[in-house]
Amino acid sequence: MCPLSMCAPGERVVIQRIAGGWGVRRRMVDMGFYPGERLVVVNSSGGPVIVDVKGTRVGIGRNMASKIFVTIER
Amino acid sequence: MTTNRIIALAGNPNSGKTTIFNALTGSNQRVGNWPGVTVEKKEGVLRLEGMDYTVVDLPGTYGLSARSIDERVARDFLVRNRPSLVAVILDASNLERNMYLALQIMELGVSNVILVFNMMDVARSRGLDIDVKAMGIFLGLPIIPTIGNRREGIEDLKRVISLYMRGRGDGNDDKLIRKAPFKYRQELEDAIRQVGAMIPKDLAKKYPARWVAIRLMEDDGEYRHIVEGLASGKEILSKVESLRQHIEGILGYDVETAMAEMRYGYINGVVREFVKKKPSVADRLSMSDRIDTVVTNKYLGLPIFFLIMWIAFMLTFDLGGLFSTYIDSFFTFLGNITAVHMRPEWLASFVTDGVIGGVGAVLVFLPNIFMLFLMLSILEESGYMARGAFVMDRLMHAMGLHGKSFIPLVLGFGCNVPAIMATRTLENRKDRIITILVNPLMSCSARLPVYVLFAGALFRAHQGTVIFSIYLLGVILAILLARIFKSMFFKGETTPLVMELPPYHIPEAKGVFLSAWQRSGLFVRKAGTIIFAAVILVWLMASLPAGVGYGSEHSLIGRLGSIMAPVLSPAGFGYWQAAVALFFGILAKEVVVGTLGTLYHTTGSGLSAVIATHFTPLSGYAFMVMTLVYIPCIATIAVIKRETNSWAWAGFAVAYSLVLGWSLAVMIFQVGRMFV
């Protein structure tokens, strides 16, 4: 398990845990992020992490991305 | 279900909800505020077969969890006003995300729900083939495919609305059997039923019992709070707690996650069943991704951002300036005619010095302002603006602001009033207040005429760069002050930055021009009203008392200015005209130029010449900085009060900007004098 901010572009990951208060997690769920959801890291070059979630591109600030813990699939 | 004549439009941001709203209501619209908050409320009238219905455009949201003002407003409206029909507008090219809100609205269960699959053309171009009919039958509600910006499907939508509002279902009554309404897994459904049964009647009248039960199971603090106040509150909450533990025991993880998973799982199933993906066109997305690799790159992101901004500014001034010359010669020509041929003399003076001098001096800058809004529209439409928020996020975070604050700040270059309203998308109140407070430092288009006039008169060769430096100074000040305010008033955590990034696309010329035109139309209206009034006031005060030379030091305005001028002389522009211009500039910043035009009775190139004799490049620059920073205009002060709901913050904004503006102007002049 590692923070999303450490994943490389092209990697397929599964969300394991989102750190933060109820409000933060709620907000993430509304945007489609919850444990068990699969993401593809599209871009991550030191700036925001851009992921593919449910077919759309969502940018996640580096700070938030370091609080999303994922496992890398293969 | 209720029966009234209210139809609510709900939907995610970027779903084209407003387009549908416009198509339904045409020009029968009213814009106001939602009660208690300052989120813009749009209402319109839809006339169908002789019946009038009220269509309410709810704020665009991703869910109903009442995390931001927008979400709370949307949920409260649905719960309290119980519209007969909720039309959920969905971006058909992105159903998996958009359906989440639809599902929550169905779950709330206070109204009939229909789905509008908008942007069908985009969905098709992405190779999506949606079996709308079968999906509607499966979900047990009508789905109307539309292409809002081409008005396709609007008539179908109206027909379905009419049928529903007349209580005839969707006209396909035989199919109205809910085939597979959404259900949680059995243990959860049992728990929800048990908790729901415990909800007392008077609360259930306000919020549907099932909804309250669901939210309690999700551990939603707001509903816990509501229930706590009930006589049976303790009992309900302890039941909820034991059920939650029981279910977590079975599932092995927390209930909230499980519930989110089930909702998305259901949506995923529906989408997989009824949407066929042709593997062909992922090109646009991959193209977009490739652009993003460069544009959001750690090292390239910021330079590219500033380069784009710089180009936008150059176009605004150089291209805009070209047209300004024509408008200028027109007003000069007009002024010459009225000055020579109009009688009596006071009327000639009024028209030439007052109206043409004042309003003309401002209107000359219409092309610049149009270009500025055009650039902003292009940045917004192309999808770059959202990326800008991310590129700026690191910088913003370092300065204690949220990346999302960037958008209101950029909008501030157009006009601070809508920009301050745009801070509503910020979920965190302290981020919001800080963004509001520093917003006036983002130099709005009304201040542009002052810079163009002074830079044109004093820095002819480098005017673009000089003006850019003023804008940059505003940005830097905003960032520094945000940092200071944050450490002064607010400390603590910031909210996460998570934003949808729509794929890049080339903006449609028509839409971009229309939007720029409408926004600069506001500027023209302002020139005709508040600026006009201010200019007349200035002219009157410059002509009175009777017998004084027009605009002389002995006129009313001259005396007023002479009192204020000494305060400004350490900044190098201790002229009474400058003092008066700044004073009236508080009404609207364009008035600074208008007042100078009226007082020196000349416009355009004539005015430039006068400026060049009164100001040195150094004192001119100090004056521009003063104009940038000192006191927001009246409209901005009013909107700060409204949005922060406090005169104290509005007063603070006025006070800090005045002190800061004056100090900077003095500092620039005094330090600069040692070198020049």
Side-chain angles (χ1 to χ4, degrees):
Chain A
M1 203 155 82
C2 72
L4 181 61
S5 53
M6 286 169 63
C7 298
E11 281 181 328
R12 296 170 175 279
V13 301
V14 183
I15 300 179
Q16 297 300 330
R17 201 165 70 79
I18 298 174
W22 196 88
V24 171
R25 280 184 290 136
R26 186 82 245 153
R27 166 105 194 123
M28 296 306 286
V29 165
D30 286 352
M31 297 291 291
F33 296 85
Y34 52 90
E37 175 66 7
R38 287 183 158 69
L39 313 172
V40 181
V41 180
V42 176
N43 255 316
S44 180
S45 53
V49 179
I50 301 176
V51 297
D52 179 301
V53 52
K54 303 180 189 304
T56 42
R57 297 297 183 265
V58 174
I60 304 170
R62 200 124 203 108
N63 247 351
M64 186 64 221
S66 61
K67 292 181 190 143
I68 301 175
F69 295 92
V70 299
T71 47
I72 297 161
E73 289 193 310
R74 278 159 288 113
Chain B
M1 302 276 166
T2 45
T3 47
N4 52 30
R5 292 196 184 172
I6 304 172
I7 301 157
L9 300 190
N12 282 14
N14 304 323
S15 60
K17 193 162 55 68
T18 306
T19 323
I20 299 287
F21 176 72
N22 289 341
L24 285 178
T25 58
S27 55
N28 287 323
Q29 293 183 9
R30 211 175 50 224
V31 179
N33 271 336
W34 294 91
V37 290
T38 48
V39 178
E40 191 179 82
K41 179 185 189 183
K42 279 207 278 187
E43 258 184 37
V45 176
L46 168 64
R47 180 162 295 174
L48 283 176
E49 298 169 30
M51 299 274 273
D52 279 353
Y53 302 108
T54 306
V55 184
V56 178
D57 191 14
L58 297 178
T61 60
Y62 289 106
L64 286 184
S65 36
R67 282 287 116 198
S68 66
I69 305 175
D70 283 354
E71 288 181 12
R72 198 165 59 233
V73 163
R75 195 226 29 213
D76 286 349
F77 183 81
L78 293 178
V79 169
R80 293 198 188 130
N81 297 57
R82 307 218 165 180
S84 293
L85 185 65
V86 181
V88 187
I89 319 296
L90 301 95
D91 172 359
S93 68
N94 184 10
L95 285 179
E96 274 195 71
R97 178 195 309 290
N98 281 251
M99 282 288 284
Y100 190 73
L101 176 70
L103 197 64
Q104 287 206 321
I105 291 173
M106 288 186 245
E107 208 166 50
L108 184 60
V110 290
S111 314
N112 285 311
V113 178
I114 61 174
L115 304 183
V116 178
F117 282 10
N118 195 27
M119 307 205 238
M120 286 299 279
D121 50 340
V122 181
R124 250 171 250 140
S125 76
R126 286 201 198 155
L128 300 178
D129 179 15
I130 307 170
D131 192 344
V132 171
K133 209 167 180 179
M135 194 167 176
I137 293 168
F138 179 82
L139 291 172
L141 41 80
I143 298 173
I144 301 99
T146 58
I147 305 172
N149 48 11
R150 285 196 238 143
R151 292 188 61 93
E152 271 175 45
I154 299 298
E155 287 312 311
D156 291 333
L157 176 58
K158 284 184 181 170
R159 190 179 50 80
V160 174
I161 289 176
S162 180
L163 285 167
Y164 256 96
M165 296 307 275
R166 284 156 186 272
R168 295 192 208 137
D170 63 351
N172 296 317
D173 292 70
D174 51 323
K175 290 174 190 161
L176 259 183
I177 316 143
R178 303 269 186 285
K179 284 262 171 72
F182 170 64
K183 284 260 185 298
Y184 295 96
R185 57 182 288 167
Q186 200 53 49
E187 297 88 349
L188 258 167
E189 280 296 332
D190 290 342
I192 290 166
R193 203 171 320 115
Q194 285 178 50
V195 175
M198 291 173 78
I199 305 295
K201 281 232 161 54
D202 42 333
L203 179 63
K205 246 183 243 158
K206 216 171 139 203
Y207 298 100
R210 181 179 162 84
W211 171 261
V212 178
I214 290 171
R215 298 324 290 228
L216 286 175
M217 288 306 290
E218 275 189 291
D219 201 26
D220 189 328
E222 196 188 350
Y223 291 84
R224 284 172 55 108
H225 187 73
I226 293 171
V227 171
E228 254 166 26
L230 300 172
S232 55
K234 272 215 175 78
E235 198 191 331
I236 298 176
L237 290 182
S238 74
K239 181 76 183 167
V240 168
E241 208 33 59
S242 75
L243 285 167
R244 275 171 56 86
Q245 273 170 16
H246 169 69
I247 291 171
E248 275 172 23
I250 298 174
L251 297 172
Y253 52 100
D254 66 297
V255 180
E256 295 112 275
T257 304
M259 289 172 81
E261 215 175 64
M262 284 173 224
R263 288 191 204 116
Y264 277 118
Y266 174 79
I267 293 167
N268 187 277
V270 172
V271 170
R272 202 175 301 167
E273 183 69 27
F274 298 107
V275 181
K276 301 274 171 293
K277 269 191 193 130
K278 290 185 209 117
S280 59
V281 207
D283 291 356
R284 215 160 75 100
L285 272 184
S286 70
M287 184 66 191
S288 213
D289 289 340
R290 245 172 289 155
I291 298 174
D292 276 338
T293 318
V294 181
V295 162
T296 64
N297 181 279
K298 189 176 180 178
Y299 304 104
L300 296 175
L302 274 177
I304 290 176
F305 171 79
F306 284 114
L307 183 71
I308 290 178
M309 289 296 159
W310 187 76
I311 291 172
F313 276 79
M314 285 304 151
L315 284 174
T316 301
F317 305 123
D318 292 350
L319 215 60
L322 206 69
F323 292 99
S324 293
T325 330
Y326 298 121
I327 300 186
D328 176 28
S329 17
F330 169 73
F331 278 116
T332 312
F333 169 75
L334 213 63
N336 286 338
I337 294 179
T338 54
V340 175
H341 296 289
M342 208 176 254
R343 287 293 173 269
E345 215 152 291
W346 66 265
L347 186 67
S349 161
F350 174 70
V351 173
T352 314
D353 303 329
V355 179
I356 297 176
V359 176
V362 174
L363 279 182
V364 164
F365 300 99
L366 181 61
N368 291 116
I369 282 161
F370 180 80
M371 284 302 292
L372 183 71
F373 281 125
L374 192 67
M375 293 299 143
L376 283 179
S377 302
I378 291 173
L379 287 178
E380 256 173 276
E381 286 285 307
S382 64
Y384 183 73
M385 202 74 111
R387 273 76 181 181
F390 278 100
V391 171
M392 294 297 284
D393 185 50
R394 277 185 309 152
L395 205 69
M396 292 276 186
H397 254 294
M399 304 305 165
L401 269 181
H402 190 258
K404 258 193 186 173
S405 302
F406 160 79
I407 293 175
L409 291 180
V410 169
L411 291 178
F413 288 139
C415 174
N416 298 120
V417 174
I420 287 173
M421 291 183 189
T423 59
R424 289 165 190 165
T425 53
L426 292 166
E427 286 125 55
N428 187 318
R429 181 171 157 83
K430 39 186 197 192
D431 287 338
R432 212 176 152 214
I433 289 186
I434 294 174
T435 312
I436 288 174
L437 285 179
V438 301
N439 202 288
L441 293 169
M442 307 310 285
S443 190
C444 68
S445 59
R447 279 168 268 182
L448 181 56
V450 184
Y451 310 147
V452 177
L453 175 66
F454 277 76
L458 305 165
F459 301 94
R460 210 151 291 184
H462 307 288
Q463 52 170 311
T465 316
V466 165
I467 294 172
F468 187 71
S469 77
I470 294 275
Y471 275 84
L472 197 64
L473 177 69
V475 176
I476 293 169
L477 285 175
I479 289 170
L480 287 178
L481 284 178
R483 183 92 203 141
I484 294 169
F485 292 160
K486 176 136 182 165
S487 61
M488 268 167 69
F489 305 120
F490 310 102
K491 287 178 189 132
E493 51 145 358
T494 39
T495 42
L497 176 66
V498 185
M499 267 177 88
E500 200 180 330
L501 300 175
Y504 288 103
H505 72 120
I506 297 175
E508 225 181 307
K510 196 182 146 201
V512 170
F513 272 97
L514 196 71
S515 140
W517 179 247
Q518 283 171 345
R519 291 186 193 175
S520 30
L522 227 64
F523 170 78
V524 176
R525 210 173 311 147
K526 220 160 115 192
T529 51
I530 184 161
I531 297 173
F532 184 65
V535 151
I536 288 178
L537 190 68
V538 171
W539 179 81
L540 266 177
M541 288 178 69
S543 312
L544 293 175
V548 296
Y550 173 80
S552 74
E553 237 182 307
H554 306 290
S555 63
L556 273 183
I557 208 163
R559 289 178 211 171
L560 176 72
S562 303
I563 296 170
M564 295 187 291
V567 183
L568 298 175
S569 56
F573 45 87
Y575 307 108
W576 65 267
Q577 291 95 334
V580 168
L582 288 172
F583 179 74
F584 284 98
I586 300 170
L587 293 175
K589 295 293 168 85
E590 298 94 330
V591 172
V592 172
V593 172
T595 305
L596 291 173
T598 307
L599 291 179
Y600 293 126
H601 33 114
T602 170
T603 61
S605 47
L607 192 52
S608 294
V610 179
I611 296 292
T613 63
H614 283 71
F615 288 82
T616 63
L618 184 60
S619 68
Y621 197 80
F623 187 83
M624 286 194 266
V625 171
M626 181 74 178
T627 308
L628 165 72
V629 182
Y630 93 105
I631 306 188
C633 73
I634 284 196
T636 308
I637 298 172
V639 83
I640 294 177
K641 193 260 149 187
R642 223 179 53 186
E643 296 291 318
T644 57
N645 206 8
S646 131
W647 278 113
W649 285 126
F652 178 72
V654 171
Y656 95 74
S657 56
L658 187 59
V659 172
L660 182 69
W662 183 82
S663 315
L664 277 174
V666 170
M667 208 170 74
I668 286 172
F669 185 70
Q670 296 300 341
V671 173
R673 220 157 46 150
M674 298 175 200
F675 298 98
V676 181

